[in-house]
Amino acid sequence: MPSTIQILFLLFIINANYSFSAAATNRVENNETSHGKNQYSLVHIGVVLDLDSSMGSMADLCINMALSDFYSEHSNHRTRLQLHTKNAESLLDTNIAVLDLLNHEEVHGILGPQTATEDKFLSELGGKVHVPVISFTARSSTLPYVQNRYFVRTTPDDMYQAQALADICHGFEWSEVVILYEDTEYGNQFLSHLNKAFQNIEIGIAYTSAISISSEDNQISKELKKLMAKQTRVFLVHMNPSLGYRLFFLAKKAGMMSEGYAWIITDYLSNFLNSKDFVARDLREGVLGIRPYVSKSKELDSFQERWKRNMVLKKRTGLVSDLNIYGLWLYDTIHSLAIAAEMIGPVNSSLLYVNTSKNGTDNTNLKISAFGPRLLSKLSRTKFPGLSGEFQLINGQLKPSAFEIFNVFGTGEKTVGFWTIDTGISRELVSTGEPTHSTSTKNLKSVMWPGDSFTRPKGWAIPATRVLRVGVPEKHGFTEFVSVKLIDAATNRTNATGFSIDIFLAALDLLPFHINYEFYQYSNSSYDGMLHNIPQTFDMVVGDTTIWAPRANYVDFTLPYSEPGVILVVKNEKPLDMWIFIKPLRWDLWLAIILACIVMGIVLRLLERRVRNTNEESVRPRRERLRMIYLSPIAVLAFPERNMVANGWSIFVLVFWLFMAFILMQSYTANLSAILTVDQLKFAFSEDYYVGYQEGSFMKEFLEKQLHIHESRLKNYSSVEDYHDAMSRGSKRGGIDAIFDEIPYMKIFLKKYDSQYKMVGPTYRTDGFGFAFPVGSPLTAYLSRAILAVTQGSNMTSIEQTNFGPGYSSQDPLSSTVPQQTSSLTFYDFGGLFIIVGSVTMFALFCSETSLGRKFTALTAQYSQVFFCFISSKFHSTQDDKVENHEPIQDAGATYSEGRDANIFEEPLRRGEEEICESGQNNGSASAEDREVELTTINEGTNS
């Protein structure tokens, strides 16, 4: 379309070439004259508006007031903006007006147009001739800033508004939203921003409804009825005032402005709520809106009063009823242009263009402006506090400010909060110093929703006239979970019972709302096929449906209500083994124990040969003595009371030997107990093995893909009896060797045939049974919370025992599960113990059989005796002090207060110990045995 328009423009330009040249010459002369008289130069700016529209009329008035206000305050400026306004009602009028301004008026900047449909062509045209095109209505651009530098938007980008709307929906905990938007290019651009913003915070767009401006009321009503049949009750509206008024009028008529519904409007509509195009406030009562926030100021109040007076004086009351944000943005835009022009200063008319020749493009007379790039550069640097807030351009668009969140009720509006890029949603527009971005709506003021309700809509609802279609599987076995009985074959309506159904009914009672439902039977055995019928045939599926990752790609599951996991069940057969007593210890440990006994006997023989013969030993034959010594490591375990050794080092070695023997015996006993009490099944598939699984379940795919069992080795069964029959026959007789199935099924199977089968091996991870919904269904979260309350409630045990029998509980551990086989204990397991005992034995031999060791022993005994004497003397000196001070002395449970009574017993004992100490000092080479006998004799004499 732009190429056809350009051809028309070229024809127009060629015809007007002569008049253009004359007008240009006259304009240069007028500029020079004007500059000489008034001491300022003119900067020509073109303005394209639809003066017959309310927006155009308001914009024209704001432009005139902006020029008047600015130059009355800055009368000393050397430049003046000279505006050339063109009226354009259509796209063709706009394009012709722009070319006329460039050729005849020699403008170096273009302000406008009002609508977004002309932006693309005009921005490309401005880029070719280096003239900035400034829009005060465009909220987004189809081209990036680097490719579209001459298109300036003095409005904030719609991307920020989309983020604010997404945060609001997230704060109110709405998981899905329906978007109704104006079917125009601008509406589609805004929809793309919403898609991206909602996707970032995982809010689903349940449905998008594009409504044309030319749509009839019956078409809009038909679309609204379609939306009423859906579950989502949150509607976001992005339309112009005229279309928005019709939409809300028809929505109220259809009963969609009642309790339970939530309506949000964008600033495309909220900026014009006070206009005459949208005067019926009662149609939008309870609506939540968002719009750019404009702070109150004296300058703004003064401007609004003067604007109303000028509107009356110019007889424009029939065109627009009130001022809106677009007028304020335009007012600030004129100020920024005037500031930019003054920053450039007066420019010689001969330097306004690059050259006076044609630019060589499209055979037109359009000249490339030299003043336009300078104007664009200065305009991008302007920054000042305007009527709409801080005015600053960033990357060709206005820096975003705060958004006001308001609520429409009664005869007015109420601000309930604000949204900013940095802080998110807040109650007041104040800086808290916290860098966090909040999406919580708890701090907002109270909101009145449609239907005069102050309760936040949950965002969805089951239509009152709609019955939830609940699919249940038809099962031929394991009917404890689901049992169906067909009521009406024509409609497939079903009466269902069982554990899964009881959980579903108990969860429904806990929901904060009522749901009408009907059970519908699914006769095919494939559970995957049943789930694929959501939502075409069923709205949800209730039954023993396993939560499995591949299924989550096309349905949503609730939280599980059963035990998770897949296990292997085999026959409870344990082969007989007459040599089982050997298994607790491996051969190397047995050999080490035997060798240790032999070595210990040899060591004891070496130690005992140095002991003097007692009367008992002289009587006993030498051969018997030797036999007892060699067998003492074993005999001492059976007859610990026998005095088999006399050497102190032999006793020392036997103590550690008993320590090692005790540990070995305890370990042997524990391992043998495990072997005898726990069935260590060495399950191995036969060469022609077969594995059973439940018909219709996901187990076939699970066994093939995850356990890599070939399909030819798999057989399906549907009931407990079928499993038992197949396991009894075995693979060799057409049955199976093992069963792979989920724990809830196998607990029922083992409950019936408890002693014949066992669970073995690891438990493979699944998430148990759950209810299935369409992807994104809001019912999923509500049912999940209800299921959690049921499974952790007091009625869960009753539900289980009603369906599975007394004694059943899902909380019971899998006592039948067999762990991995217990391994025999090895020599390495007790290597440290053997090292300790061996080291002690070598030390005893060293001290007993070598001269150096004996000297070390004697020296150690001497110093030990000296230490004992020192401690004893300290003790007696303390006792003597007590006697002298007449202090009571505690001895053998009796207290003596008289000093002489205590000395009767203390004196002989002290004399005996002193003699021992003197003897030990004078005769250090005496044997330890002699000193021991000497001490005993002295003590006996003292006692007597």
Side-chain angles (χ1 to χ4, degrees), residues 286-304:
V287 170
L288 196 69
I290 184 174
R291 61 190 170 201
Y293 173 69
V294 179
S295 60
K296 300 297 182 182
S297 63
K298 295 181 179 180
E299 293 79 6
L300 179 60
D301 294 338
S302 174
F303 174 75
Q304 288 177 334

Side-chain angles (χ1 to χ4, degrees), residues 123 140-151 153 395-396:
S123 61
S140 59
S141 176
T142 57
L143 296 175
Y145 174 68
V146 293
Q147 301 177 12
N148 202 20
R149 298 181 63 89
Y150 283 90
F151 183 64
R153 291 173 290 149
N395 293 332

Side-chain angles (χ1 to χ4, degrees), residues 28 31-32 106 347-356 368 370:
V28 172
N31 284 347
E32 294 173 350
E106 294 184 353
V347 178
N348 194 319
S349 59
S350 61
L351 301 177
L352 293 177
Y353 293 96
V354 174
N355 53 58
T356 57
I368 298 177

Side-chain angles (χ1 to χ4, degrees), residues 129-140:
V129 297
H130 294 180
V131 172
V133 177
I134 305 165
S135 174
F136 65 96
T137 57
R139 303 295 296 276
S140 59

Side-chain angles (χ1 to χ4, degrees), residues 90 259 441 513 588 591 631 718 744:
S90 64
E259 186 175 358
T441 57
F513 47 85
D588 57 345
L591 181 61
L631 295 178
S718 60

Side-chain angles (χ1 to χ4, degrees), residues 100-135:
D100 185 45
L101 289 171
L102 291 173
N103 286 319
H104 293 175
E105 308 297 342
E106 294 184 353
V107 296
H108 298 279
I110 297 174
L111 186 61
Q114 293 177 210
T115 59
T117 54
E118 301 95 345
D119 292 345
K120 185 176 181 180
F121 173 72
L122 294 184
S123 61
E124 292 179 358
L125 181 61
K128 286 184 178 181
V129 297
H130 294 180
V131 172
V133 177
I134 305 165
S135 174

Side-chain angles (χ1 to χ4, degrees), residues 211-224:
I211 299 178
S212 174
I213 299 175
S214 59
S215 297
E216 300 291 338
D217 287 353
N218 59 347
Q219 294 176 317
I220 299 176
S221 298
K222 184 178 180 180
E223 188 69 16
L224 292 175

